[in-house]
Amino acid sequence: MPGPTQLFFPLIRNCELSRIYGTACYCHHKHLCCSSPYLPQSRLRYTSHPAYATFCRPKDNWWQYTQGRRYASTPQKFYLTPPQVNSILKANEYSFKVPEFDGKNVSSVLGFDSNQLPANAPIEDRRSAATCLQTRGMLLGVFDGHAGCACSQAVSERLFYYIAVSLLPHETLLEIENAVESGRALLPILQWHKHPNDYFSKEASKLYFNSLRTYWQELIDLNTGESTDIDVKEALINAFKRLDNDISLEAQVGDPNSFLNYLVLRVAFSGATACVAHVDGVDLHVANTGDSRAMLGVQEEDGSWSAVTLSNDHNAQNERELERLKLEHPKNEAKSVVKQDRLLGLLMPFRAFGDVKFKWSIDLQKRVIESGPDQLNDNEYTKFIPPNYYTPPYLTAEPEVTYHRLRPQDKFLVLATDGLWETMHRQDVVRIVGEYLTGMHHQQPIAVGGYKVTLGQMHGLLTERRAKMSSVFEDQNAATHLIRHAVGNNEFGAVDHERLSKMLSLPEELARMYRDDITIIVVQFNSHVVGAYQNQE
Amino acid sequence: MPVFCQLCWSAIVDTDGRIYIRNWQGGILSGGFEKNPKPIFTEGKNQLEIQNLQEDWDHFEPLLSSLLRRMPQLETLEIMKLVNCPETFTPDMRCIMGESPSVQGYFVLAGMNSAGLSFGGGAGKYLAEWMMHGYPSENVWELDLKRFGALQSSRTFLRHRVMEVMPLLYDLKVPRWDFQTGRQLRTSPLYDRLDAQGARWMEKHGFERPKYFVPPDKDLLALEQSKTFYKPDWFDIVESEVKCCKEAVCVIDMSSFTKFEITSTGDQALEILQYLFSNDLDVPVGHIVHTGMLNEGGGYENDCSIARLSKRSFFMISPTDQQVHCWAWLKKHMPQDSNLLLEDVTWKYTALNLIGPRAVDVLSELSYAPMTPDHFPSLFCKEMSVGYANGIRVMSMTHTGEPGFMLYIPIEYALHVYNEVMSVGQKYGIRNAGYYALRSLRIEKFFAFWGQDLNTLTTPLECGRESWVKLEKGMDFIGRDALLQQKQNGVYKRFTMFILDDHDTDLDLWPWWGEPIYRNGQYVGKTTSSAYSYTLERHVCLGFVHNFSEDTGEEQVVTTDFINRGEYEIDIAGHRFQAKAKLYPVASLVTHKRRKDDVELSDLHGK
């Protein structure tokens, strides 16, 4: 194992990392991190298996690390300048403003800001945003992948189509199916709002389409012709489950094209959580699978901000999830199904897309791997069967759907992967976004008229206002602003440039040890439109 | 503010803090010129309506901070009022005055750039003189309304430019500073080509002109660091361009020059031009005449070169910023005659200046025509083909006194001709050059430029251009009487060239313009332009020498003898440098020939 070690040390030579470093450790697999008490917890832990115990050698590494430091120590510090920091933070930022018609915006959504900051290389988080074209409403989602990015990528491309199809009325489905059948142009279903870095797989596009078509064909067949009302909650649950099922099926069936065959297997063997919001007028549905979170920013009458959680984390911190798992499996597994706060001692989220290792029977897993391509066969992780694996499936992609009726005081919704929530309290998140979105626009100009104000007092007041302003005006994007705070906040809750600079200059191989991928979407609501809905009724 | 001080000061200005402080009704009044001004357009609104805008304390905060830093004890004072009212600013930080070019008798005085209080008296005086006598008693071209045209009146241009201008009020102003906003408005078709070859640009009347070309291997200082009163960072670059002009051939894009065409059906064009210009324009077709467009006092309204294209049409070249002024002057004096046509063709031609001894080789190769002085004498104009392009106006003059040609190229041929010139020129060592090289060349040759050295108060006789004035050309012309009188009485000032003797180019402050000239210890005038002459390896200053009576201070006649028999010094920022005065160009420059044994290997390198 000397190869990776040698690569590893020169990278940290120029950075003053020793102070924030407890220990050092390296990854064998990109998706597989060995743990140590100083590191943030990786999604998928993998050390319990004896064969991999040697992966974690903190002592050895520490020794080499200190040697390396002494050998390479340089007196000068290396910090990023504020513009460099900004260019890193802003690299993935995206803003969408819902277009106004006739100067009047009738959508309850004003627009959204989104951004992501990688810690993994490549990043395993994904994000999606789209407007439904054949039904009303807008879809927004964040997806946190683990054991690679294949699954989160596939879910980010496909899930919204499944949701949109689930929401479509029978006639529209028929029309689309007929168009496909007769080779006519298809009705567009989604208008995507994508950052240039958000890509869609060209190769799998046909395969994905066929699976989706099968789904709507079944929906058409199932239609009894009676119920015309489509329940959004049900549609979301169906879409999630159906997509996960398709992912699983595609991997079992395989594909004659070797590239696609490998792709569908990678998608199925990696995993992803999803947190999706559907906004239609005042109706807000949040469908969540896993430990990403949706947080509503509510402005109280006195102008202060409070956070309303619209999703439940599916992990060991959720008593109801623990209960659920225990009920779904025999009593004798009660102790092994969740160990060390992880599913089967391995997986942190208790619900996820993909992850067939926790869904398929042992037989099926072995069969697929054996008949699969060599890459899969050589991969130690895929071959490894979780311990105490008696009564699969242990994992589901079924989401928990929360409904919320928007009120005028509901100003925005933050969707973010756990990378944000593990560094910041929800209350702080909502306060920072709230102050960013409204604070400055509403900062009243000062007028002296009539009051006895001294120059000194005025100066103090103005300096304070300017300090507040400058921290906000650096960012044009609420999500970027939030990431800046999440990564750069010091113990006093203020952005510390030195800290920010250090965190962002971590080499690719190390970044994951200090933070997780962070993906944020901040959806801003139009209070006037929401208020008007309320008055109508 | 309550009664605070009884000190009597007029005003304190803290330029670093960008503020002023003055006594006001027993209290203090403080304001300033912030770095981030907020432009507003007030047209259509009553002046009183916008006199008091809402107080904007956040905007005032930096100024308040510097006030309290300068006078910390003010902290305890109570605020009476924050006055927020707009001021007017112009695109070049100078006020606008004079007669409108389009409406006769309509006079303007506006855009005081926040200095109305201090300049009001003088501006009023000159404007009154202007209205009464048709002329102010001082040269006010720099403030003349006609330095601007419609092209500077775009709202976006003004918005951007005034935001740059206003902070400059309290900034240190350095020589050769170019505005950074409102640029790339008028450009030559070659702009991109030249820019890609390292051109650095200056702007005149909205037109981008190359200053010099930075070689690929050379780095210049950043804009802020390049501000200097000493030897600038472009010194070596311009030196190599000048050297190339002297020894090989350079090409300078001079498209910005104002170009008019005057044609008539009969002799009307010749007649009006003979009346408006001091030189004799009744020359054979194909000749070029340097001449002044004078006013009644014999002063230069414009200094131009006029080529006689045919018996009845003339091509007139004047400085870039003359576009509005010259047009207005011609229109004012031209009779309403449908047979007489005046056309502004500035935009129709791209002008390339081929300067240098090898220009003749480049051009003859491109035109398959002999270009030697026997076939193409100096100050001659011919339409010919260059490369594939036909109808190129080739003129044997360079505006510098160096050998070479000006090519006036219809714009659609510009790129073709430029490419041909550059590729054929390769073997003659051709390279691009800019206006700084041109400036150095023309100043060492004692060439005066209108707008810098010449103005409405200087006459041809005062700058040694008697030969360009034909008092006896057989007809009257504007300014003739004044010149006749001046010829009889002698001149009261004389354009003189000074060569600095003990000036260390590397270490001493450079002369730029406006330096006082001392003759035998007595102040006799100011310089109008200056440049480093790479040939003489000395600084050359041009300026006017007066003869003030020692007793009364009255101006007396300046004779050649007076000039020659003085010991001169030029005062640069308080340090006087000895200078040699000359009334004629240095002879060695005119007959510059290189001796055989001076040739070295490096001369074989491409320049």
Side-chain angles (χ1 to χ4, degrees), chain B residues 456-473:
Chain B
T456 51
L457 296 176
T458 48
T459 70
L461 304 188
E462 290 162 352
C463 53
R465 291 181 168 184
E466 294 88 343
S467 59
W468 292 1
V469 175
K470 299 287 179 330
L471 289 169
E472 310 303 333
K473 65 180 175 184

Side-chain angles (χ1 to χ4, degrees), chain A residues 56-69:
Chain A
C56 186
R57 300 185 305 176
K59 277 190 178 159
D60 288 6
N61 283 328
W62 174 246
W63 179 81
Q64 289 179 29
Y65 173 64
T66 45
Q67 293 298 102
R69 278 284 309 158

Side-chain angles (χ1 to χ4, degrees), chain A residues 218 223 357 366 422 466:
Chain A
E218 280 175 32
N223 185 270
K357 301 184 59 53
K366 283 189 171 156
E422 67 199 17
R466 195 185 51 167

Side-chain angles (χ1 to χ4, degrees), chain A residues 45-46 48-50 333 336-339 343-347 357-358 362 384-391 394:
Chain A
R45 192 166 59 187
Y46 200 40
S48 50
H49 197 281
E333 285 186 53
S336 63
V337 69
V338 176
K339 257 186 170 174
L343 185 66
L344 299 177
L346 295 173
L347 191 64
K357 301 184 59 53
F358 298 88
I362 296 178
F384 164 74
I385 303 291
N388 304 312
Y389 197 78
Y390 308 117
T391 50
Y394 285 87

